[in-house]
Amino acid sequence: MIEKKYTFRFVFLLLVVIIFMFPIIQYKFHIFPDVSLTGVTESAVKPTFTLQSFWSGQAQQQTENWLDQHNSIKNIVVKTNNQLYYSLFSQASPNSTIVEGKSNQLFESVYIHEFNHQTPLLDQSILENKVQKMKIVQDEVTRLGKTFVFLITPSKAAVYPEFLPSRSSSSEPRNYDLLLPLLEKYHINYIDGHRISMENKRDTPIFPKGGIHWNLAGAFFTLQKLTEQINELSPSLSLPELNLKSIDYVVPTGFDRDLADLLNLWKPPVNYTVPQPIIDIDKEDSPSRPSIAIESGSFSFQLIQLLNENNFFSTLDLYYYYSTHRQYTNGIPDFKDLGIPKHIDWNKEVLNHDIIIKEVNEALIGDLSRYDFIDDAASLISPQNIEFQTNTQYVDQIDIGGTQGYRINKGADGSATVYLTSTTPLHLEPNQSYTLSYTAKGFHTLRMDLYPDDLPQFNNGGLTDQFNDFSFEFSSDSENIKNATLRFFIDGINAKIPQDSYLYNIKLTKNS
């Protein structure tokens, strides 16, 4: 009896050890076929064992993460459980964010919630501030002779509400509805992918049944309008015209079945076809290919594929969710991963492109993080307007072209006289490069300096009887730069100024 008792304990402990060791045994001997799960997970690092990693706990953590990803038994159980639930109830497992709507259409819950007014509206003033910053970026891009376009991509829930399991009866606006009038108010160059998709969905499916992203045909209709608008804004680019020759229907792969694969079933619901556009373009229309910069989410991949397949660019830089920098080269399907864009040189990495596109999906218009790219660009581009106190004996504050300006009157003393001084210190940073710009005409020896600091005086020496733009780039390693004020003066003549001088549009810009 005692011997049987010990035998039972031994067998029980052996089974426990085998259960705990089975992931390693399975990985080594492949007793069952290897099964993996689909999802957005970071690939686990294969554990490395050193004395240091053992005592720090790093080796144990790496082992746990690695075994979790290579545990075929767990994956088999998960897939079996998901399949049973889906087969019995025609639904994803309870902890999934995937929802099956009518006609076997799959949706992601976040898009349904947004369309059904279950996510908060942005305060109108906040949204307007974002559009104002977009206008700053657009104006600077235009000034540089480049093209800026804001692209709204469609939400499956908003384009196909008839397939949702339930719909809100609320007539209140969405963030999308609040944004459009602001884009019009500030004359933003934009393309409304939602409207374009609604116009074309009757004849061609825009989204696949088992996917959350638009298919290539859906992307094509919006890209067609995008290229037309770019040609209107910048005729010199002369992008080739996109024409739809025909549409083939093919089995879904990749993004066209991303939600179906995320269900992690043994038999995912992919018994449907997706439209593939056959595009006809005259490649001789555009002998030179522009460079493109896009800051976008995952809806850009179909656009980039179409652009690349049809030789629309020389290089394309994608700032994916503003967290990863990928660079594409014409005719090469793979991209170069340039890592995390921690410190962008805006002038050399973004503003040097011929076309700059900022994309936001209509369901994410209320997500403030989607405007970080625009916020950062505007902070670089937007100059600091400087208020001045004047030498009232010699200077009049006047309106010049609708902008506040200053006139230094003929007969003013030209012997070390300061005419304009910024009312407060500029709070500049040591070793940071800045550009000071202004527009002026008149007496040719107008000078400026930063006081107190050891920077030399700046003498434009080029004032004429016509208004001209002037700019000076500077930096200083002196701590005095933090409290420096800006001064304009004339020095070195022991006489009266022989003519009026005019000065306006004085701006200070922080260089990247």
Side-chain angles (χ1 to χ4, degrees), residues 48 50-64:
T48 54
T50 64
L51 191 59
Q52 182 179 0
S53 67
F54 177 81
W55 288 114
S56 68
Q58 183 183 29
Q60 295 90 321
Q61 185 64 52
Q62 287 179 342
T63 302
E64 181 181 345

Side-chain angles (χ1 to χ4, degrees), residues 242-259:
L242 283 168
N243 297 300
L244 184 61
K245 186 176 180 181
S246 62
I247 290 180
D248 287 347
Y249 282 83
V250 299
V251 297
T253 59
F255 278 110
D256 288 332
R257 51 178 286 170
D258 52 9
L259 290 186

Side-chain angles (χ1 to χ4, degrees), residues 6 16 63 81 86 112 223 243 261 464:
Y6 281 109
V16 170
T63 302
N81 177 71
Y86 188 82
I112 297 177
L223 180 61
N243 297 300
D261 288 334
T464 67

Side-chain angles (χ1 to χ4, degrees), residues 161-180:
E162 61 269 26
F163 293 132
L164 294 177
S166 62
R167 291 178 59 179
S168 170
S169 59
S170 173
S171 59
E172 291 185 7
R174 299 158 54 219
N175 284 309
Y176 164 81
D177 301 305
L178 299 178
L179 178 64
L180 292 183

Side-chain angles (χ1 to χ4, degrees), residues 38 98 208 210-213 254-263 272:
T38 302
I98 301 172
I212 197 60
H213 296 91
F255 278 110
D256 288 332
R257 51 178 286 170
D258 52 9
L259 290 186
D261 288 334
L262 281 171
L263 288 171
Y272 56 88

